[in-house]
Amino acid sequence: MRRFFYYLIAAVTVALAAFYTYGYFAHRALPVVPKPEVRLAYIYADTSSFPTLLQMVDFVKQDPATPKFIIWKRMVTLNVHDPLFKEATILKSGDKRYHPQFMPNLRRHVQDFVKTYPNASFIVHLNKDQTGLIWAVLGAIPKERVKHIHFYEESYASTSFIISGPPLEPDKFLPRLQDSNPPGFWSYNYGYSAAKIFPSTFHLAVMPEAKQKKILKDALKNAEVKNVDFKELAQSLTEEQKKALLRLANIDENTLAPFRSGKPVILFTLGFFHDAKDKNREQINVLRQVYEGKTRFVKNPQDYTWMYKEHPWLSKDTFIRKTLKKQFPSVVPLPKETPLEILFLTGYLPDKVFGFSSSLFFALPAENILFFMERHHDPYVPILKETGQLTDDKIVRLEDFQERKNKIYSQ
């Protein structure tokens, strides 16, 4: 009997190890049934919020009957049963970590998708800054069958990280795509290297103009570049496409109810800190002081409907959620995994937004920014000032709320 329990414990241990190593995302070999009549298919792949949002906008504009492969890793609330996904192969992962098998498994899934449509060309949507993702997807598609690649920005990477060396020439880059060992997930030059080989469009909204010009000169001579304007993007969507975006993100009537309350809406966005608890307490303190009308930013807080949204990486830390629910029961939470810009694009723009440094501020008109809490050497600040969305009187720091004799309390 004792031996039986030893074997049982060992089996459970092995099963748990396999689950945490491979996760829900592990490749499962299924019979591939070729569909030679299909001539065009789409591939959408991203693990962040900002590029996923822009990929979703493209997705709702395409014919639902055209086959699509989708991995939007951060969109754990994705409504996979929506009719628009009728011809889509969707991968979801319950593990947000980039474990060693993530990229090899993704490559095998894409290979199966490509085999299913042996006569199709592929339009591919990727994050230009996620080297591992580019390796997994482009390495699974024969070069001659890549019709076009749309690249999007990893917002923080586009402002603060440098390219790890110049773009690779085709004779160096193509063998790397076929290498059996994936590269590091981040290295920032694979997107530009791919643009030397494949017809490409870069959709840029965050990259500083100076850096953009340098990269365009050095690496993107043959690529199309489109600067993302959120106002124009919203105008390009039909009412049906806007409704589709809300459905796909599982944004329901309860979530939208505050926008129909008859009061102006104020939204507080919380940032992500590695030393979470102390900094998160300080962020809650910021909300409390603004919510209670103790700063110059809001005179009559009772005249507004209040909402907040956590950073997606705060999903394992329930401290903020529990504290806000207890101390501010009337403040409405938004789904933390959902790109907030979806609301802006679909006509649900908060009247005022304040909070910690985030790419979502790039989607806001200047008049909708209440204030912006900058981090140390914040890369977003000079860009937002350059675009006219941010002025010095709207830039504050977390520590400003700890000292009563400073500009945020002046009446």
Side-chain angles (χ1 to χ4, degrees):
M1 181 61 71
R2 182 177 296 177
R3 180 175 296 180
F4 169 77
F5 281 114
Y6 285 152
Y7 284 133
L8 180 62
I9 292 171
V12 171
T13 302
V14 170
L16 287 173
F19 175 80
Y20 283 110
T21 300
Y22 297 98
Y24 177 83
F25 187 72
H27 179 261
R28 293 166 173 81
L30 298 173
V32 173
V33 181
K35 299 180 180 179
E37 70 280 6
V38 173
R39 299 294 176 174
L40 179 67
Y42 292 84
I43 295 176
Y44 298 92
D46 185 60
T47 69
S48 302
S49 298
F50 193 69
T52 293
L53 164 79
L54 297 177
Q55 291 185 22
M56 290 175 71
V57 169
D58 183 89
F59 172 84
V60 298
K61 294 180 178 181
Q62 304 306 330
D63 184 351
T66 304
K68 300 173 185 71
F69 177 96
I70 297 170
I71 168 66
W72 290 324
K73 203 167 188 288
R74 187 169 279 182
M75 281 293 295
V76 298
T77 58
L78 193 67
N79 178 12
V80 297
H81 303 297
D82 192 272
L84 288 182
F85 290 129
K86 181 180 179 182
E87 295 297 327
T89 300
I90 303 172
L91 298 186
K92 292 186 71 177
S93 173
D95 188 352
K96 288 189 176 180
R97 296 168 299 174
Y98 304 123
H99 55 68
Q101 291 301 315
F102 170 73
M103 291 180 288
N105 282 338
L106 175 58
R107 170 173 280 195
R108 288 189 283 269
H109 280 294
V110 176
Q111 285 171 337
D112 286 351
F113 183 75
V114 171
K115 290 175 184 176
T116 302
Y117 306 102
N119 294 323
S121 296
F122 296 90
I123 295 177
V124 183
H125 294 256
L126 290 167
N127 185 321
K128 73 176 180 63
D129 299 308
Q130 292 179 346
T131 297
L133 212 62
I134 294 171
W135 171 88
V137 174
L138 294 186
I141 310 172
K143 173 178 172 289
E144 65 279 5
R145 294 175 63 191
V146 177
K147 184 174 182 178
H148 201 93
I149 306 175
H150 292 271
F151 284 111
Y152 305 89
E153 297 167 288
E154 176 73 28
S155 55
Y156 185 66
S158 288
T159 60
S160 60
F161 296 136
I162 61 171
I163 302 173
S164 56
L168 301 171
E169 294 301 322
D171 63 331
K172 302 289 185 183
F173 180 62
L174 286 172
R176 290 202 182 186
L177 288 182
Q178 300 307 319
D179 197 321
S180 58
N181 296 315
F185 199 81
W186 308 97
S187 71
Y188 315 110
N189 68 350
Y190 268 36
Y192 307 116
S193 303
K196 287 177 168 283
I197 302 169
F198 305 102
S200 302
T201 299
F202 285 76
H203 302 263
L204 305 177
V206 182
M207 183 185 291
E209 190 72 21
K211 182 187 286 189
Q212 184 181 137
K213 286 180 178 176
K214 183 179 187 303
I215 290 176
L216 291 178
K217 180 180 177 181
D218 294 347
L220 304 182
K221 295 176 182 178
N222 301 318
E224 180 185 19
V225 177
K226 291 185 176 181
N227 287 303
V228 177
D229 182 300
F230 280 90
K231 187 175 181 180
E232 292 180 3
L233 200 61
Q235 291 173 346
S236 74
L237 292 165
T238 66
E239 289 304 311
E240 282 305 310
Q241 290 166 350
K242 291 178 181 180
K243 291 177 183 177
L245 274 177
L246 294 171
R247 289 200 317 269
L248 298 185
N250 257 325
I251 297 176
D252 57 18
E253 286 301 313
N254 289 332
T255 304
L256 299 176
F259 294 95
R260 300 182 178 126
S261 66
K263 292 183 177 182
V265 174
I266 291 184
L267 175 73
F268 175 46
T269 174
L270 292 97
F272 168 68
F273 294 94
H274 290 285
D275 51 341
K277 274 206 171 176
D278 288 341
K279 288 290 193 299
N280 289 341
R281 284 194 184 95
E282 292 175 22
Q283 289 189 89
I284 292 172
N285 178 51
V286 171
L287 173 59
R288 179 181 296 107
Q289 293 185 53
V290 179
Y291 184 78
E292 293 176 355
K294 294 179 179 178
T295 73
R296 64 178 171 84
F297 296 111
V298 179
K299 298 293 185 182
N300 301 299
Q302 70 278 2
D303 293 342
Y304 296 88
T305 294
W306 292 75
M307 306 180 77
Y308 77 90
K309 182 182 180 295
E310 301 172 56
H311 189 282
W313 279 104
L314 289 170
S315 59
K316 292 183 179 179
D317 180 10
T318 60
F319 170 77
I320 281 185
R321 208 168 310 119
K322 290 179 178 178
T323 304
L324 289 180
K325 187 175 181 180
K326 182 178 179 180
Q327 297 186 16
F328 306 94
S330 62
V331 178
V332 182
L334 283 170
K336 57 186 174 296
E337 297 88 0
T338 301
L340 199 57
E341 295 88 339
I342 285 180
L343 293 179
F344 307 164
L345 291 175
T346 52
Y348 296 96
L349 179 67
D351 296 272
K352 296 293 180 183
V353 178
F354 72 98
F356 191 75
S357 176
S358 168
S359 61
L360 73 89
F361 284 90
F362 288 96
L364 289 169
E367 59 270 21
N368 293 79
I369 298 177
L370 187 64
F371 65 83
F372 178 98
M373 284 168 37
E374 66 174 336
R375 52 188 156 194
H376 190 56
H377 298 308
D378 197 306
Y380 292 163
V381 168
I383 308 170
L384 288 166
K385 290 177 71 174
E386 181 182 323
T387 60
Q389 292 165 278
L390 203 57
T391 51
D392 288 336
D393 63 316
K394 292 184 178 181
I395 302 171
V396 301
R397 294 167 303 184
L398 201 55
E399 51 266 33
D400 287 340
F401 290 85
Q402 301 165 359
E403 172 57 58
R404 293 305 299 261
K405 296 177 181 179
N406 61 48
K407 60 183 179 180
I408 69 167
Y409 293 102
S410 61
Q411 302 299 318

